[in-house]
Amino acid sequence: MRLARTAMAALLCLLVCIGSAFALSPDEMLTNPVLEKRARIISAEVRCMVCQNESIDDSNADLARDLRVLVRERLVAGDTDSQVLDFLVARYGEFVLLKPRLQLSTLILWGFPIGALMAGAIAIAVSIRRRSTASIESEPLSSSEKQQLKKLIGTIEK
């Protein structure tokens, strides 16, 4: 049973890896190996707008194919890597990048995880401090309180 599960997991991993191998079709590839390498690097940084957690280099979606072709057209036209990325950001927004740039508009995106960790650490520290300073001791009951307690216990026992 365990061997079957391991084999199924290995097969699933293999299928996932093979799927991304067929994302780039031969008709998209450039004849210039330097430009093709640059295109692959840029494509690995650009998010597929359909799949959203894959780069256009790994995606089989039609929009990803269009973006790969667009990247190659811009490189053939003489754009630098940063010009190609700037063009895509201007056209599709900062979301098109898998790793958004650190800017004022994306500061919350970059700062939120750090802020959340700090807030959690502060909350834990405050909670620990409150527990350690909380007094478990109490004053002894007065004689009138003892009498009231005896009356209450007596009514419960009846």
Side-chain angles (χ1 to χ4, degrees):
M1 182 72 165
R2 187 173 181 190
L3 181 62
R5 285 186 183 175
T6 304
M8 290 298 283
L11 181 62
L12 182 63
C13 289
L14 181 65
L15 289 174
V16 168
C17 293
I18 289 174
S20 65
F22 295 115
L24 184 68
S25 61
D27 62 325
E28 295 175 31
M29 296 179 70
L30 297 171
T31 56
N32 184 339
V34 174
L35 285 179
E36 179 60 30
K37 184 176 180 180
R38 285 177 53 202
R40 295 296 294 256
I41 291 170
I42 292 170
S43 295
E45 297 176 21
V46 177
R47 178 187 316 271
C48 173
M49 303 304 261
V50 175
C51 308
Q52 296 193 1
N53 284 331
E54 278 187 327
S55 69
I56 61 171
D57 201 34
D58 296 332
S59 176
N60 289 325
D62 291 335
L63 181 59
R65 182 188 185 289
D66 294 343
L67 287 173
R68 287 192 300 266
V69 169
L70 179 64
V71 165
R72 283 163 175 76
E73 287 173 357
R74 301 292 297 192
L75 289 174
V76 169
D79 286 359
T80 64
D81 294 0
S82 62
Q83 287 174 327
V84 172
L85 289 174
D86 290 341
F87 174 79
L88 292 172
V89 168
R91 194 169 187 181
Y92 297 101
E94 195 73 29
F95 183 73
V96 77
L97 299 177
L98 280 171
K99 295 180 184 173
R101 301 171 184 158
L102 182 58
Q103 298 174 347
L104 187 59
S105 61
T106 61
L107 198 56
I108 291 176
L109 177 67
W110 286 102
F112 183 76
I114 295 169
L117 284 174
M118 289 176 63
I122 290 170
I124 290 171
V126 166
S127 175
I128 290 172
R129 188 160 187 203
R130 281 187 182 166
R131 285 184 184 191
S132 66
T133 59
S135 174
I136 298 175
E137 300 173 16
S138 62
E139 296 179 17
L141 296 175
S142 68
S143 60
S144 64
E145 291 172 335
K146 287 180 183 178
Q147 288 175 357
Q148 285 179 337
L149 183 60
K150 285 180 184 179
K151 283 183 185 177
L152 290 173
I153 293 174
T155 57
I156 294 174
E157 291 177 355
K158 292 181 183 181

